[in-house]
């Protein structure tokens, strides 16, 4: 799947489906918040939610007082859903409609890189390498990356697309042990709106200074 096809796929998903009915929908991003609670964030911390889609993580972070928030997604329709839900509070967020494998992000700009259920869709080595390069370019030294993907016993496909399943050690290998340390990991069983379960691994990494 090339970049244009990827964009078209996700745009269609959010235009044609209710964001509360997609398999990855969660009422509360509890696992993400739990692990972000392990990071010494301050109100000055800059956080990017990569492939944030219509997730309510940005709502939760705003409620907790964080003001330097960026949500990036390949689908502008997904961002529209989140913006509409937030109303005027959406003006306090930076919204980027971009493919993370080609996005032009500022260097050393973020203290936290959050990704739930995006990286596992990058099944070709070129896209995977581009994602890691974007992360390394825009995450500050000593910053944290919280990446949640399907776990080894998680689904092989999602939204009609193939996925790569990881454990925390596999994610660390992709990021590179020369720059990253695994701080925390959790296995979470996500219950989909239709009642199925999906095994996710949440892995929190710290970048060296
Ligand atoms: C499974 S959904 C997860 C959405 C959100 N993180 C959540 O937890 O609800 C995957 C999201 O990644 C976005 N996405 C997929 N490929 C992307 C890419 N290459 N760059 C940026 N966003 C992407 C999709 O539009 C979609 O919103």
């Amino acid at each position: 799947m090339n970049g244009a096809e990827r964009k078209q796929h996700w745009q269609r998903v959010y235009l044609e489906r209710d964001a509360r009915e997609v398999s990855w929908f969660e009422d509360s991003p509890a696992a993400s918040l739990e692990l972000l609670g392990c990071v010494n964030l301050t109100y000055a911390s800059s956080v990017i939610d990569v492939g944030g889609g219509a997730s309510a993580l940005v709502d939760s972070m705003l409620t907790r007082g964080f003001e330097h928030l960026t949500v990036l997604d390949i689908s502008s329709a997904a961002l529209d859903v989140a913006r509409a839900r937030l109303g005027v509070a959406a003006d306090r967020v930076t919204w980027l409609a971009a493919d993370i494998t080609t996005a032009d992000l500022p260097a050393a700009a973020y203290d936290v890189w959050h990704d739930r259920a995006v990286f596992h869709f990058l099944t070709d080595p070129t896209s995977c390498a581009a994602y890691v390069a974007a992360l390394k370019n825009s995450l500050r030294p000593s910053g944290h990356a919280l990446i949640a993907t399907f776990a080894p016993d998680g689904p092989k496909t999602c939204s009609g697309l193939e996925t790569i399943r990881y454990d925390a050690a596999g994610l660390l290998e992709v990021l590179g042990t020369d720059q990253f340390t695994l701080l925390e990991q959790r296995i979470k069983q996500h219950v989909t709106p239709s009642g199925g379960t999906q095994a996710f691994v949440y892995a929190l990494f710290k970048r060296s200074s």
Side-chain angles (χ1 to χ4, degrees), residues 11 14-15 53-54 75-87 90 95:
Q11 191 71 345
Y14 286 100
L15 286 173
S75 165
S76 58
L79 300 180
D80 287 345
V81 173
R83 266 197 293 250
R85 186 182 63 232
L86 282 165
W95 305 93

Side-chain angles (χ1 to χ4, degrees), residues 1 9-10 13 17 24 121 156-163:
M1 184 178 260
H9 171 87
W10 289 106
V13 165
R17 301 191 60 192
W24 54 92
F121 288 111
K156 293 180 181 156
T157 61
C158 177
S159 188
L161 304 178
E162 286 186 7
T163 63

Side-chain angles (χ1 to χ4, degrees), residues 62-82:
L62 281 171
T63 301
R64 284 163 173 73
F66 295 100
E67 290 290 344
H68 303 279
L69 303 173
T70 298
V71 181
L72 177 149
D73 202 279
I74 198 169
S75 165
S76 58
L79 300 180
D80 287 345
V81 173

